[in-house]
Amino acid sequence: MKYALVIFETDESRRRIQADRAAYRKEYEGWIGGLAAAGKLVGGEALETERIAPATVRTAADGTSTLIDGPAHAGEETLGGWFIVEVADRAEAFELAKSLPTPETVEVRPILESA
């Protein structure tokens, strides 16, 4: 089964990144390397979260669109990226998410299988 581990930066993770980016990156890359070495990592991407702000396009039922300068859902947490993992079951996906050594929030989402 494939799952997306959706990473949300938090105030604490942003503080740690700003305090020592190299140490933070080493810790994070060690976790990613462990997923890859275990054959669990399928892919992933990090999003730009510091230099360029996100924008949101909302389309109404009548087809009109509105551009909003900012994230779709404002709050302390910022969407930072995701990893796709292949695991035996949902419980294993939870364990991988819990093993992230840095203070982000991880949302675990099943990948929709093609019909």
Side-chain angles (χ1 to χ4, degrees):
M1 300 181 73
K2 289 183 183 173
Y3 283 85
L5 304 182
V6 184
I7 309 296
F8 292 89
E9 294 178 353
T10 62
D11 287 345
E12 177 59 26
S13 68
R14 285 188 289 276
R15 277 193 289 279
R16 287 183 56 188
I17 290 167
Q18 291 166 355
D20 190 344
R21 184 175 302 278
Y24 191 88
R25 186 174 191 113
K26 183 177 180 181
E27 191 173 14
Y28 207 89
E29 288 175 351
W31 179 75
I32 297 166
L35 294 178
K40 303 295 180 185
L41 183 64
V42 174
E45 295 291 337
L47 298 173
E48 168 58 60
T49 60
E50 292 185 52
R51 294 181 296 260
I52 302 171
T56 302
V57 175
R58 293 193 188 275
T59 303
D62 66 4
T64 60
S65 296
T66 305
L67 175 64
I68 301 164
D69 189 22
H73 303 285
E76 175 210 335
E77 297 176 327
T78 304
L79 180 60
W82 61 86
F83 295 97
I84 305 298
V85 295
E86 186 144 4
V87 294
D89 55 27
R90 190 172 186 214
E92 185 178 5
F94 292 153
E95 289 306 311
L96 294 179
K98 289 176 6 183
S99 72
L100 179 65
T102 54
E104 283 87 9
T105 298
V106 181
E107 184 174 315
V108 178
R109 289 284 196 107
I111 300 294
L112 181 63
E113 298 291 329
S114 297

